[in-house]
Amino acid sequence: MPPSRRRARPAEDEEPEEDNTQLEQENGYGSEEDQASGNEGSENEDPNRAADEQLAKKLVRYALSCEYSRTPIRRDGIKERVLGNQGRAFKRIFALAQKQLRTIWGMELRELPVREKMSLQEKRQAMKSNAQPKTGSGAYILTSVLPAAYRSAAIIPPSKIPTLEAEAIYHAFYTLVVSVIWLNAGELSEPKLMRYLTRLNADRNVASEKTELTLKRMERQGYVVRKVDRPPVGHEGEHTVTWHVGPRGREEIGLDGVMGFVREVYGESSDDLERKLRASLGIKQPREAGTEDADGDTVM
């Protein structure tokens, strides 16, 4: 019996050593080789990824600050103030910033449309030039990607700067002006615009601000475009002023915003209202089931 007891003791002494080794590994105090391999793994993590994330955060801050003052976020400004000497990484950083904006802020950067050729002279010059038309303006604004149910004024109220009331009035005014211009085939003469504003008692002042100053601010921020046509040199005549929807108005308000605004004014929607609304905005009427198309085929 004694020999058997002597053999059992070493086995009992070895068990704590195994347990200690296991605890060291679980607590991160393994062998030097294990620690070295772990350090190499952390060092081998892509350092460029961390740098890109920081640049993307910087782009998000820059976009938020520009949107606060309704200043277009231009591609040149992003390269100068955000990317610096990393200008070639624009697409990569832009994609990361878009992901952060969508997942955290509920917004995204959208490119403003290219300014349209309005006058006949501009259209003729564009036809004569052999240059290819621009596909993008290189300027962006922030727009919400939240579902429509979460975009109500009760959830997203107007900004408190300068005051909540002043911002709400300005928001309503530029939505009204853009909608009126769009409903008049996208072009409205200045006398006609003033007649509309006179009916609303807004031809002189908008809240505590002069109407003229409010329209200039809208023009500066891209909601509207004021076009002045002067007679040719050597010809007599008065210049004419027309108002058009600006690139920010097209992107921020859009046709859906104009249609929603009209429905709110009328209080309810009807087939007759929708038909007139689509005709005023130049939207093709949806074909009803059972009608015949130009070829005589019945549309189901």
Side-chain angles (χ1 to χ4, degrees):
M1 296 300 293
S4 61
R5 290 179 182 175
R6 291 190 188 122
R7 292 194 189 98
R9 285 174 187 171
E12 292 175 358
D13 294 337
E14 290 175 357
E15 289 179 359
E17 294 179 0
E18 295 177 357
D19 294 340
N20 292 335
T21 304
Q22 184 177 0
L23 289 173
E24 289 176 355
Q25 293 176 352
E26 292 177 355
N27 294 330
Y29 300 102
S31 62
E32 294 181 358
E33 295 179 357
D34 295 337
Q35 292 179 4
S37 62
N39 293 335
E40 289 178 0
S42 61
E43 291 176 358
N44 288 335
E45 292 180 358
D46 191 0
N48 295 330
R49 180 70 180 180
D52 288 353
E53 290 287 349
Q54 291 300 320
L55 287 175
K57 291 178 181 178
K58 190 176 180 181
L59 174 53
V60 170
R61 290 194 295 269
Y62 176 67
L64 291 172
S65 65
C66 289
E67 186 61 27
Y68 181 76
S69 59
R70 291 187 172 93
T71 303
I73 306 158
R74 301 193 180 279
R75 183 166 182 160
D76 294 338
I78 294 174
K79 289 182 177 179
E80 179 182 353
R81 304 194 178 190
V82 178
L83 301 179
N85 58 0
Q86 301 291 328
R88 294 186 177 182
F90 176 84
K91 291 184 178 180
R92 187 172 69 250
I93 303 302
F94 188 85
L96 287 174
Q98 284 282 59
K99 183 178 179 181
Q100 293 181 13
L101 285 168
R102 293 188 182 110
T103 56
I104 299 174
W105 298 91
M107 295 184 287
E108 69 177 4
L109 285 165
R110 289 189 184 177
E111 190 171 11
L112 293 174
V114 180
R115 180 179 176 273
E116 296 181 353
K117 308 298 182 185
M118 298 174 187
S119 65
L120 184 60
Q121 184 179 0
E122 289 179 342
K123 293 179 180 179
R124 287 175 178 175
Q125 289 178 353
M127 293 176 64
K128 290 180 180 179
S129 63
N130 297 324
Q132 295 182 353
K134 292 183 178 180
T135 56
S137 63
Y140 304 85
I141 63 170
L142 281 175
T143 56
S144 175
V145 295
L146 294 175
Y150 298 102
R151 298 189 190 185
S152 64
I155 298 175
I156 309 178
S159 174
K160 295 181 180 180
I161 298 175
T163 64
L164 191 147
E165 182 181 4
E167 182 66 15
I169 292 173
Y170 179 59
H171 194 146
F173 184 76
Y174 71 66
T175 302
L176 167 70
V177 173
V178 169
S179 299
V180 169
I181 295 173
W182 224 323
L183 290 168
N184 283 271
E187 180 178 338
L188 191 63
S189 65
E190 190 163 66
K192 195 171 182 180
L193 174 62
M194 288 299 119
R195 286 199 296 271
Y196 279 117
L197 297 181
T198 302
R199 294 177 185 176
L200 299 170
N201 197 24
D203 56 321
R204 294 184 179 182
N205 295 287
V206 179
S208 59
E209 187 178 38
K210 294 289 185 181
T211 302
E212 182 181 358
L213 297 178
T214 305
L215 290 172
K216 286 183 178 180
R217 176 153 58 114
M218 290 170 53
E219 185 181 4
R220 184 174 66 253
Q221 293 174 349
Y223 288 107
V224 294
V225 175
R226 183 174 182 267
K227 181 68 177 175
V228 180
D229 290 326
R230 294 179 173 83
V233 179
H235 292 74
E236 296 182 357
E238 298 181 353
H239 64 271
T240 58
V241 179
T242 55
W243 291 87
H244 306 261
V245 180
R248 188 182 186 95
R250 291 181 179 277
E251 187 60 43
E252 183 179 320
I253 301 172
L255 288 174
D256 291 337
V258 175
M259 296 175 76
F261 174 77
V262 173
R263 295 187 188 108
E264 272 309 306
V265 170
Y266 279 85
E268 60 182 6
S269 180
S270 62
D271 293 340
D272 185 54
L273 175 62
E274 293 297 323
R275 193 180 303 107
K276 293 179 179 178
L277 190 55
R278 290 178 177 273
S280 298
L281 296 173
I283 302 175
K284 293 182 179 180
Q285 300 288 343
R287 293 179 180 176
E288 299 178 357
T291 59
E292 293 185 355
D293 58 10
D295 298 330
D297 299 327
T298 303
V299 180
M300 301 302 294

